[in-house]
Amino acid sequence: MPYKILDKKELAMNEIWYKIHAPHVARKVQPGQFVIVRAFSNGERIPLTPVTWDREEGWITLITFVRGKTTMRMANELKPGDEILNVAGPLGNPAPMKKYGRILAIGMITGIVEVFPIAKAWQEIGNEVTTLHVTPNPMVLLKEEFEEAVSRHIVEGFDLQPGWGMQEIAQELVKRAVAKVKELLEKEHFDMILTVGPAGGQKAIFNVVKEYGIPMHADLHPIMVDATGMCGACRVTIGGEVKFACIDGPGFDAYKVDWDELIHRTGFYAPMERLAMEHYLKQLQAQGGEQ
Amino acid sequence: MAVKRKIIKERVPTPERPPEERVKSFVEVNLGYTFELAVKEAERCLQCPYDYAPCIKGCPVHIDIPGFISKLVQYRDNPDKAVKEALNVIWACNSLPATTGRVCPQEDQCEMNCVMGKVGDKINIGKLERFVADYAREKGIDEELLFEIVPKIEKKGQRVAIIGAGPAGLTAAGELAKLGYDVTIYEALHEAGGVLMYGIPEFRLPKSIVESEIDKLRKLGVKILTDHVVGRTVTIEELLEEYDAVFIGSGAGTPRLVNAPGINLNGIYTANEFLTRVNLMKAYLFPEYDTPVYVGDKVIVIGAGNTAMDAARSARRFGAEVTIAYRRGPEDVSARIEEVHHAKEEGIKFEYYINPVEFIGDENGKVKAVKFEKMKALDERDSRGKRKIVGTGEYVVLEADTVIIAIGKHPNRLIINTPGLKVERGRIVVDENLMTSIPGVFAGGDAIRGEATVILAMGDGRRAAKAIHEYLTKKREEQKANA
Ligand SMILES: Cc1cc2nc3c(=O)[nH]c(=O)nc-3n(C[C@H](O)[C@H](O)[C@H](O)COP(=O)(O)OP(=O)(O)OC[C@H]3O[C@@H](n4cnc5c(N)ncnc54)[C@H](O)[C@@H]3O)c2cc1C
Ligand SMILES: Cc1cc2nc3c(=O)[nH]c(=O)nc-3n(C[C@H](O)[C@H](O)[C@H](O)COP(=O)(O)OP(=O)(O)OC[C@H]3O[C@@H](n4cnc5c(N)ncnc54)[C@H](O)[C@@H]3O)c2cc1C
Ligand code: SF4
Ligand code: FES
């Protein structure tokens, strides 16, 4: 069942926005839910989050951060008018829609994309939402949209240094996130914290938040395959119990998450993912050579 | 006129690829009969009368086995006609013979009862069924038969939604389409077929065969909506607003985990995840295909059913040394005999009477060994007739880079959480017509049985189709009376 790409653009470096015809998802999706996309016949199933949608017109928008083979292939090979093979969903549980009071919603790198629908909906039902985007510049994703949607939007950017690898970027990201969150929590009162982003960053933020005893909701990103509760790839330990993030989550009480396990599990395929990427780059090179 | 039959005791064997060769690829192991060999095997059948034939009684869907076998002999001079006639007989009860011919536990069903067993080898019913289906597909004979059926269908003007495109859902859909209903299947994954696609490996059931069976349904007018997860994309309540009846064939897709420390270590897979990566996502072709799977040098598979054999034999094809660890003894192994035999030929080791109690990891959170308790069997038997087992308090530790858990599954939670749907021990409760506690909603297959077999799921699909037909006929008549 192919789904047409109605529009596509690069929002910032390596941040690609897609508008996709997927009426079955648009009709039902709620903030906090996600979809599984399989773009190519030999492709992987990857979870992505609808950022905006139109129930009548039947489209959703997705934003990907180009990080591995699939997201890079999507960026390189898909044009407006093309079709994506599969968009399944909406999946996962909607975020709880409650009046908490003052909320700090933190998105690291593309995590901010997933914060958007939740933060917007929380603001709409009467919360006072501050959003914080921690990111290497110039990825000021959705800045205007956030400024319009929530009470206050803060971008904590930093410049990538020449020679930095993923490791260094992640370290800097965590450092910046922790410092900014500490600063905010020292000065202000919040009733609820939301985080989305790499598990390492989420854990570091949680360690700050728990000092203040503020409730914290974490949207988790374990590896997923089917996302319908069939495979168990996405299992996480929550309060000592094994849960499947795709059907029990993806949002959980941060106080109950086994962070170290999650960090290990999300990193498991890194060597194979690098292999896939190298394979793809070689293919691209070969194609370039023929021309 | 009674023909005197010569009794041929030995089975005509089907050729198989040798173990050394097949552990290197996912190509199908059993090569199946040629027409000549099939006729030779068919001639061995004693042609027991229909009312007596014990093979028919042993078949969960009561295929007229002597009936289809006799066609092969009768029209031996015209292979195409022989197969067409035989297929017509099989189709009356079973719409997926290429699949069941490959995966049914024949030794416990039709073949178990075959009277030839008293004097020699039982008739190779499964492989004959498979032959008929394969030959028909290759020669386009199944299409011919289908074209004869389609124009005769009388449209009923009523709509039925089917949840899940596994054997139960596909069968129900096919039967209902033949009866003239407008049928739509809602399937969560990107491909139809259920376990046939994501679970059972290519070397046992080539995916092109499943795809061709599904193609036939499309030709019957069945619509298949993939990427639609019932419970999320659409609810059963919403389906009931749009359709006149609903059939749930969502299977038993939720893996059971061993309740032991370390279960979430890296390198520990559920059989579902492992097999889905390998089969549905074609991880054995990584990096040509994007989805990875990690198979270390030493693999332990926990469990001894079909799923465990499939996982073990798949892992073997990645070059691993594979051990099946089972908490009971060899007599309780529930996998098909052919699969156990193939697994042993392929060099898979079996360790009995050990039960995992802890998964041991390294500093990176990756599994490196499994601690097992040694078990022993008592004379006492449980409700399924298996000997009870108890721990001995003695332990053994086996090294493993990859562990695959294949100890069973529960029904899909997204469906069983439907308000008003009666569920017991995770299984959907149905009445004798396979209707659930929600009027107009029927269910069958693993969703009501827990883990069962392809043919039982298909049998449910047929029975449910019949019940839905009756239910909708009544509804039509009532509507007419009220109009
Ligand atoms: C619920 C959920 C919502 C998400 N929403 C978004 C989003 O809106 N935008 C976005 O850019 N990213 C999102 N992600 C992350 C996204 O799925 C991964 O970035 C993507 O799978 C990477 O694929 P790749 O082949 O390009 O990279 P790879 O090289 O395959 O992987 C890079 C990293 O991505 C993660 N990852 C890889 N495969 C998967 C997988 N199958 N499931 C989950 N994580 C994986 C791993 O941490 C891995 O180390 C979401 C993840 C989840 C679980
Ligand atoms: C690895 C393995 C090997 C096996 N080997 C054999 C064998 O050799 N012989 C044999 O007879 N049996 C075998 N079995 C058992 C057999 O496959 C099952 O009994 C049979 O497939 C059950 O059929 P089903 O239609 O009830 O469910 P399934 O085949 O499980 O199909 C259910 C379908 O419903 C879909 N679904 C689930 N939830 C939803 C939802 N919420 N919305 C939409 N769709 C949904 C699923 O994606 C799936 O496609 C094996 C099972 C496994 C796992
Ligand atoms: S029981 Fe055996 S011999 Fe008799 S009809 Fe069936 S297959 Fe043939
Ligand atoms: S992704 Fe398979 S169970 Fe969650």
Side-chain angles (χ1 to χ4, degrees), chain B residues 160 162 168-179 181 247 433-434 442-443 458-473:
Chain B
V160 183
I162 310 267
L170 293 173
T171 306
E175 295 299 316
L176 287 162
K178 281 191 220 159
L179 289 167
Y181 295 97
F247 173 75
N433 291 321
L434 298 180
F442 298 74
M458 289 176 54
D460 288 349
R462 285 180 65 82
R463 265 210 305 147
K466 202 164 155 260
I468 291 171
H469 177 46
E470 278 160 20
Y471 172 82
L472 291 182
T473 306

Side-chain angles (χ1 to χ4, degrees), chain B residues 2 5-6 85 108 174 191-192 218 241 255 270 311 474:
Chain B
R5 276 173 199 283
K6 201 167 115 217
E85 296 283 328
D108 296 329
E191 237 149 359
R218 291 209 171 92
E241 285 166 21
T270 67
K474 219 159 111 204

Side-chain angles (χ1 to χ4, degrees), chain B residues 126-381:
Chain B
K127 294 295 187 298
L128 286 174
E129 182 187 27
R130 166 183 161 171
F131 165 76
V132 170
D134 284 359
Y135 185 100
R137 183 181 62 255
E138 281 152 22
K139 293 271 179 121
I141 293 170
D142 50 359
E143 301 256 321
E144 258 176 59
L145 261 180
L146 206 61
F147 282 131
E148 290 171 20
I149 297 169
V150 173
K152 293 187 201 139
I153 298 174
E154 216 179 287
K155 291 272 174 229
K156 298 282 191 298
Q158 281 163 308
R159 308 185 68 200
V160 183
I162 310 267
I163 304 170
L170 293 173
T171 306
E175 295 299 316
L176 287 162
K178 281 191 220 159
L179 289 167
Y181 295 97
D182 182 350
V183 182
T184 306
I185 304 183
Y186 288 77
E187 168 56 49
L189 293 172
H190 60 267
E191 237 149 359
V195 174
L196 309 181
M197 267 335 252
Y198 76 73
I200 301 179
E202 182 78 21
F203 56 80
R204 201 144 78 75
L205 178 65
K207 300 307 147 217
S208 58
I209 288 176
V210 184
E211 279 158 10
S212 109
E213 309 256 35
I214 290 162
D215 244 22
K216 271 178 255 155
L217 284 185
R218 291 209 171 92
K219 293 194 175 114
L220 277 174
V222 173
K223 283 187 279 300
I224 304 180
L225 297 176
T226 50
D227 307 322
H228 281 63
V229 185
V230 177
R232 297 266 193 237
T233 313
V234 59
T235 61
I236 291 182
E237 292 102 308
E238 288 168 325
L239 288 177
L240 280 172
E241 285 166 21
E242 230 188 292
Y243 295 87
D244 298 288
V246 174
F247 173 75
I248 307 175
S250 55
T254 305
R256 271 178 60 199
L257 292 167
V258 177
N259 191 7
I263 187 69
N264 289 355
L265 287 166
N266 280 332
I268 302 183
Y269 286 104
T270 67
N272 270 7
E273 179 186 354
F274 183 76
L275 290 168
T276 300
R277 283 178 181 270
V278 172
N279 297 321
L280 186 70
M281 306 311 295
K282 304 232 183 318
Y284 61 94
L285 298 174
F286 180 86
E288 230 28 81
Y289 278 70
D290 293 347
T291 306
V293 67
Y294 173 81
V295 188
D297 296 331
K298 286 204 172 79
V299 176
I300 293 182
V301 178
I302 294 171
N306 284 319
T307 311
M309 296 308 139
D310 284 343
R313 296 176 64 203
S314 298
R316 186 81 186 104
R317 280 159 173 72
F318 285 82
E321 189 186 293
V322 184
T323 305
I324 287 193
Y326 187 37
R327 63 194 179 121
R328 298 173 176 275
E331 66 285 357
D332 285 331
V333 166
S334 61
R336 298 178 64 219
I337 290 176
E338 185 180 358
E339 307 323 324
V340 177
H341 171 72
H342 280 154
K344 287 185 176 156
E345 276 185 348
E346 288 165 10
I348 288 158
K349 277 196 289 191
F350 284 70
E351 293 279 353
Y352 299 106
Y353 294 114
I354 55 171
N355 191 33
V357 292
E358 189 188 345
F359 300 96
I360 302 161
D362 65 14
E363 62 289 351
N364 297 318
K366 169 150 178 314
V367 70
K368 63 173 186 190
V370 185
K371 183 176 173 185
F372 292 94
E373 182 172 14
K374 293 189 182 169
M375 308 300 285
K376 71 171 185 236
L378 306 174
D379 289 334
E380 217 179 311
R381 303 212 168 235

